Amino acid sequence: MTTNTTRVPAIEVENLTVSFGPRPALLNVSVTIEQGLLVGIIGPNGAGKSTLVKSILGFVKPDLGVVRLLGKPIEDAKGRLAYVPQRGSVDWDYPITVYEVAMMGRYPNIPWWRDPGREDREIVEKALEMVRMSDFKDRQIGRLSGGQQQRVFMARALAQGSDILLLDEPFAGVDAATERAILDVLERAKQTGRTLVVVHHDLATAAEYFDRLMLIKQRLYAYGTPQQVLNQELLSEVYEGKLKVFSGMEKSEECRA
Amino acid sequence: MLDLFFAAFLAPLRETFFQKALIGGSIAAIVCSVVGCLVILRRMAFLGDALSHAMIAGVAGGYLFMKILFGAEAHAPAMLIGSLIAAIVTVASIGFVSRVSRIKDDTAIGIMYTGVFAGGVVLVSVFRGYIHIDLMHFIMGDVLGVADSDLWVAAISAGIVLSILILFFRHFQLTSFDPVMAASIGLPVTLIDYTLTTCVSLVVVSAVSMVGVILVVGLLITPAASAYLLSDRLDRMMILAAIFGVTSVTGGLYLSMWLDSSGGGAIMLFCSLQFIIVLIFAPNYGLLSRWLRLRQALPQQLVEDILVETSRPENGLTVDQLQQKILKGKSVLKKAIKRMARDGLLEIKDRTVLLTASGAQEAHRILRAHRLWEAYMSHVGLASNSEIHSTAHKLEHVHDEESVDYLDDLLGHPIYDPHGAIIPQSDSHCSVGGVCSLSYLRDGANGEILEAPENLRQMGLRPGVGIRVGRRKENVAEWPVFLNNGSELVLDHKSADGLLIKITSVSS
């Protein structure tokens, strides 16, 4: 990564409005995410988290507003962003190894008449190393634990060579130890200067995991450090009627401190 | 005429073979259709097909067993038990293969049943000197040649299967709907699964002699599928499926008499036609009703465009004038207007389209959204002046009240849009008798303070005090208010948001 790109924000969202009917899914959302951060998107169910992700991916056309990746409009920024979908849509019995899945990340760069070159293989090895899956590279993907499977798909995203990674609920349905392992990978990807944006649903761990949080419910309620975002007033406004849960949670945090 | 009727409908009924076919066929069809309901809900149609094919090995085995050991020729009970065994072995091996290996269910079924079927075919051809089974008969069936023994087999297996289904209805319903929950409350899910497949084997065995190996799966699933399109409850679906099964057999048998065709073929042809008719005409899930629903649905955008256009001139528009503005086909427009008149949004007087009170209210809401979106775009500098109107025209359809109020608040409750036109006030907030914060109100509104924060109370704005809203300067976010005692105050946006007013009158 060259020094002149580090100045440009990784993701800029400007006055974004997206609607699928009379009620907009996102309304007047503006946010600037600097490079090299680990960012969590939080908000209640139906708050527009996935619509925001789809807008950043360019899957939905906004009514109004623009999204820029590394200073370029999304149409010109193909390949700058890699997406890690939720687990579940994959046939885990498919006859394919860890290494081959990671190599799929290189497919956009390999013309059909050529085999993967040495450079591709090196990138894949490096990506597998980063997610600590090198030892399993010849293993069929069904013979891995849930957290390992998640890491393989992160390796695939890393192999794409994108500067920005978008992860949809990577912590959904994994145990605490696995969560740690995944977080470890995210941290290390961040060390290489990548920007990671993660859809997250667990408020209890949000403060601990992320450098910045984005709290949305149709509109952007807050973007900033966890201390700025996770305050009682904002949360009770966004998670209306579920206030008790959070006051209880904060208390338990106080006890720990 | 009467003769013709007699010849066509009553004459066949006098024939014994026809009576037997009708009775045997109906029994088989009823039980097939009822079990078929569970089969299609579990997506096991392919398994039904597999079972019917696997049977041939059992039939040959049973035949051979009795012939060699006891010298009995074509011993029906033995053949029946043989085919049941073959069916259950097939099911068990399918389950085994898909459980212990990565091979998926559908592939396992394909492998196992063709294997068993092939075994049967080889058995029959090797021992063709001993076994007198006509493979063609087995494959095509012969409903018009139903023997008494076939009738007994059909009746007994129908009795057993129907009793099991009725007694354990809830068990079957739960395991087919949510097997995990069924297991969690302690139902023997595997046993229930095997019971169901045994039932399927039984009904298939009893129906194969009538309609044949190939067509039996049709009798199993087609009436059930027809019923599926017509009912939303499993018990009703089963009853309907049974009725469709009987009508298929009856209709098919008459068809085969009139056309002098194969009985099994005619039954399944009738059954398929019946399904196609249901598919077209079913009231909720049918093609015709779907098409009608799509045709009936007016695009919301068109409705809203008509409302806004009609609200502009004082005394309405003719259809032609409306067409010039909206640029849609005349018939589409006329239909929309008719529907909107029926919904109470428009009325038509002397060929002129007018808004009703509720239509005007809707138009007002959309216009407010439109102008606020224009103000918003100009505020964030997103679109050039020429684009603003056309983009706002699209965005006005995003008029969810909460979102529009948010824009209004974000912009400091502007009075004029960028073109200088007045932005309509929110009807739901600003009508007489309503309660809203001061920031939504404009010049000439009178009301009584309902709630006020402490800092405003100290300025005399206490609950119960009557106020009048003064004229704001352009779009400036400052609210002049006149108190009852004659004093005048100017509130900023935040204070105006905090002051809740019950509106008593509005003078324009």
Side-chain angles (χ1 to χ4, degrees):
Chain A
M1 226 159 297
T2 49
T3 41
N4 64 345
T5 54
T6 48
R7 299 261 169 78
V8 186
I11 301 173
E12 286 169 279
V13 177
E14 218 177 287
N15 302 112
L16 190 71
T17 295
V18 182
S19 66
F20 307 105
R23 188 185 146 76
L26 294 173
L27 179 60
N28 191 34
V29 171
S30 299
V31 69
T32 302
I33 297 174
E34 298 300 331
Q35 289 192 33
L37 292 176
L38 178 50
V39 180
I41 303 180
I42 54 174
N45 291 335
K49 292 190 296 264
S50 64
T51 306
L52 181 62
V53 168
K54 283 179 192 151
S55 307
I56 295 173
L57 287 166
F59 289 173
V60 295
K61 195 182 167 321
D63 295 351
L64 210 62
V66 282
V67 176
R68 276 188 290 269
L69 301 177
L70 297 164
K72 294 210 178 95
I74 34 177
E75 302 86 60
D76 307 335
K78 275 223 174 82
R80 300 195 153 241
L81 185 146
Y83 175 58
V84 183
Q86 289 196 30
R87 287 177 64 238
S89 57
V90 173
D91 174 6
W92 297 106
D93 284 334
Y94 201 92
I96 194 165
T97 63
V98 167
Y99 182 83
E100 288 173 300
V101 171
M103 184 55 87
M104 283 175 162
R106 299 305 303 159
Y107 283 6
N109 304 308
I110 307 173
W112 59 265
W113 63 86
R114 258 191 42 209
D115 280 343
R118 189 143 61 96
E119 195 197 336
D120 295 315
R121 289 199 296 272
E122 274 166 14
I123 290 172
V124 170
E125 300 275 0
K126 223 195 273 172
L128 286 173
E129 178 58 38
M130 195 183 284
V131 301
R132 305 244 149 103
M133 287 296 289
S134 299
D135 295 345
F136 299 95
K137 67 179 184 180
D138 295 321
R139 181 88 57 101
Q140 192 270 337
I141 53 165
R143 294 166 56 213
L144 298 171
S145 71
Q148 290 171 331
Q149 289 170 344
Q150 182 76 41
R151 269 143 66 194
V152 174
F153 282 85
M154 284 164 68
R156 182 174 73 174
L158 290 170
Q160 286 179 30
S162 316
D163 302 322
I164 307 170
L165 259 66
L166 210 54
L167 298 96
D168 198 354
E169 303 245 3
F171 300 116
V174 297
D175 61 37
T178 310
E179 210 162 308
R180 278 279 148 212
I182 294 171
L183 187 67
D184 184 47
V185 174
L186 293 179
E187 287 289 347
R188 262 171 325 130
K190 195 183 87 179
Q191 303 299 319
T192 64
R194 289 181 168 90
T195 311
L196 297 109
V197 179
V198 179
V199 177
H200 193 61
H201 68 282
D202 186 8
L203 283 176
T205 53
E208 187 186 348
Y209 289 181
F210 300 106
D211 304 327
R212 298 279 188 281
L213 287 177
M214 189 191 294
L215 178 62
I216 61 169
K217 190 178 103 183
Q218 187 193 49
R219 309 193 292 269
L220 181 74
Y221 278 76
Y223 174 70
T225 61
Q227 288 75 16
Q228 289 168 327
V229 175
L230 294 175
N231 74 63
Q232 183 78 36
E233 204 176 314
L234 265 175
L235 290 179
S236 64
E237 195 182 342
V238 172
Y239 293 82
E240 44 190 300
K242 296 174 198 160
L243 188 57
K244 269 186 189 151
V245 180
F246 300 118
S247 49
M249 186 190 85
E250 285 207 341
K251 231 178 255 164
S252 70
E253 294 220 322
E254 278 163 23
C255 292
R256 245 187 293 164
Chain B
M1 190 63 199
L2 206 65
D3 280 355
L4 204 63
F5 174 79
F6 183 81
F9 288 96
L10 297 182
L13 282 177
R14 295 190 162 175
E15 308 283 349
T16 323
F17 74 91
F18 192 85
Q19 292 167 355
K20 281 187 186 168
L22 202 55
I23 295 168
S26 296
I27 293 172
I30 287 172
V31 63
C32 267
S33 312
V34 173
V35 174
C37 289
L38 290 167
V39 169
I40 68 164
L41 292 175
R42 294 282 301 272
R43 299 166 196 222
M44 297 184 348
F46 190 36
L47 185 66
D49 203 23
L51 290 179
S52 60
H53 282 78
M55 269 180 57
I56 193 170
V59 169
Y63 195 121
L64 216 54
F65 182 80
M66 291 309 285
K67 172 105 181 187
I68 291 170
L69 287 187
F70 303 100
E73 195 79 37
H75 191 263
M79 279 157 55
L80 179 67
I81 291 166
S83 33
L84 262 181
I85 292 172
I88 290 165
V89 164
T90 310
V91 171
S93 57
I94 289 167
F96 178 75
V97 168
S98 61
R99 212 172 27 249
V100 301
S101 78
R102 67 191 331 197
I103 303 286
K104 306 275 186 297
D105 252 358
D106 53 343
T107 312
I109 293 174
I111 296 167
M112 287 305 153
Y113 98 78
T114 46
V116 178
F117 180 63
V121 171
V122 169
L123 210 59
V124 172
S125 49
V126 167
F127 292 97
R128 60 184 167 279
Y130 296 91
I131 306 177
H132 304 287
I133 296 178
D134 180 3
L135 271 183
M136 263 331 265
H137 171 97
F138 188 73
I139 288 168
M140 299 305 293
D142 184 13
V143 69
L144 295 175
V146 172
D148 285 351
S149 62
D150 291 335
L151 271 185
W152 281 112
V153 168
I156 291 168
S157 55
I160 295 171
V161 170
L162 282 181
S163 315
I164 293 174
L165 284 185
I166 291 168
L167 286 174
F168 299 103
F169 176 80
R170 283 198 315 277
H171 295 66
F172 286 111
Q173 188 187 36
L174 183 53
T175 36
S176 57
F177 174 66
D178 187 350
V180 176
M181 191 270 179
S184 77
I185 62 167
L187 289 190
V189 175
T190 321
L191 181 66
I192 292 170
D193 267 359
Y194 273 104
T195 312
L196 179 60
T197 38
T198 310
C199 286
V200 175
S201 316
L202 261 174
V203 302
V204 165
V205 167
S206 66
V208 157
S209 60
M210 299 178 215
V211 290
V213 165
I214 298 172
L215 297 179
V216 70
V217 68
L219 202 56
L220 196 63
I221 60 174
T222 311
S226 305
Y228 184 49
L229 291 176
L230 290 171
S231 44
D232 285 327
R233 286 178 51 175
L234 181 58
D235 48 358
R236 291 199 189 140
M237 179 178 160
M238 285 176 161
I239 293 166
L240 260 181
I243 293 169
F244 281 134
V246 173
T247 53
S248 302
V249 168
T250 315
L253 282 176
Y254 274 113
L255 207 62
S256 78
M257 293 304 290
W258 301 332
L259 301 175
D260 192 18
S261 72
S262 118
I267 288 173
M268 280 323 299
L269 183 65
F270 195 90
C271 193
S272 308
L273 290 177
Q274 199 172 250
F275 172 77
I276 288 168
I277 290 169
V278 172
L279 179 67
I280 294 170
F281 295 103
N284 285 323
Y285 306 112
L287 299 181
L288 200 63
S289 77
R290 199 179 107 99
W291 179 73
L292 279 176
R293 263 202 308 274
L294 285 179
R295 223 179 77 105
Q296 292 264 313
L298 280 185
Q300 186 60 22
Q301 301 215 350
L302 178 62
V303 170
E304 292 176 359
D305 287 346
I306 292 173
L307 285 173
V308 172
E309 289 303 335
T310 316
S311 74
R312 293 221 162 108
E314 195 81 352
N315 34 22
L317 285 166
T318 64
V319 176
D320 287 326
Q321 284 169 324
L322 204 52
Q323 195 188 4
Q324 280 168 11
K325 308 225 162 171
I326 293 180
L327 305 172
K328 275 268 157 85
K330 199 161 187 174
S331 61
V332 176
L333 213 53
K334 273 190 169 158
K335 201 182 78 189
I337 291 169
K338 222 190 242 167
R339 284 277 301 281
M340 288 166 69
R342 209 175 60 202
D343 294 345
L345 294 170
L346 298 175
E347 54 186 345
I348 301 155
K349 272 190 194 141
D350 308 331
R351 306 169 139 257
T352 316
V353 182
L354 293 164
L355 288 180
T356 62
S358 70
Q361 209 175 358
E362 275 296 293
H364 182 93
R365 239 160 58 80
I366 298 158
L367 202 62
R368 174 168 182 252
H370 179 98
R371 295 199 169 144
L372 278 170
W373 276 114
E374 286 191 329
Y376 168 78
M377 275 185 275
S378 142
H379 172 75
V380 298
L382 265 181
S384 68
N385 265 345
S386 56
E387 287 166 357
I388 280 186
H389 182 76
S390 61
T391 314
H393 185 66
K394 277 183 249 157
L395 279 167
E396 72 187 19
H397 301 294
V398 181
H399 53 57
D400 161 62
E401 188 176 358
E402 205 188 318
S403 309
V404 172
D405 284 350
Y406 163 78
L407 289 182
D408 197 12
D409 187 59
L410 178 79
L411 299 166
H413 304 278
I415 301 173
Y416 301 101
D417 77 359
H419 306 297
I422 291 187
I423 297 169
Q425 279 182 283
S426 160
D427 261 337
S428 57
H429 292 310
C430 309
S431 46
V432 173
V435 175
C436 72
S437 63
L438 172 65
S439 49
Y440 284 105
L441 296 176
R442 290 191 191 157
D443 192 14
N446 290 289
E448 191 180 283
I449 296 174
L450 216 61
E451 265 176 46
E454 190 50 40
N455 61 329
L456 295 183
R457 289 185 196 200
Q458 284 166 6
M459 291 161 71
L461 295 165
R462 266 181 277 277
V465 173
I467 59 145
R468 184 167 67 79
V469 183
R471 179 180 290 276
R472 280 169 59 194
K473 260 183 266 161
E474 290 283 312
N475 284 348
V476 179
E478 282 176 355
W479 282 260
V481 281
F482 299 99
L483 271 65
N484 276 359
N485 60 18
S487 62
E488 186 189 345
L489 290 167
V490 178
L491 301 185
D492 62 7
H493 190 173
K494 190 165 175 279
S495 307
D497 276 346
L499 202 64
L500 271 191
I501 312 284
K502 185 176 168 61
I503 304 160
T504 49
S505 70
V506 179
S507 62
S508 45

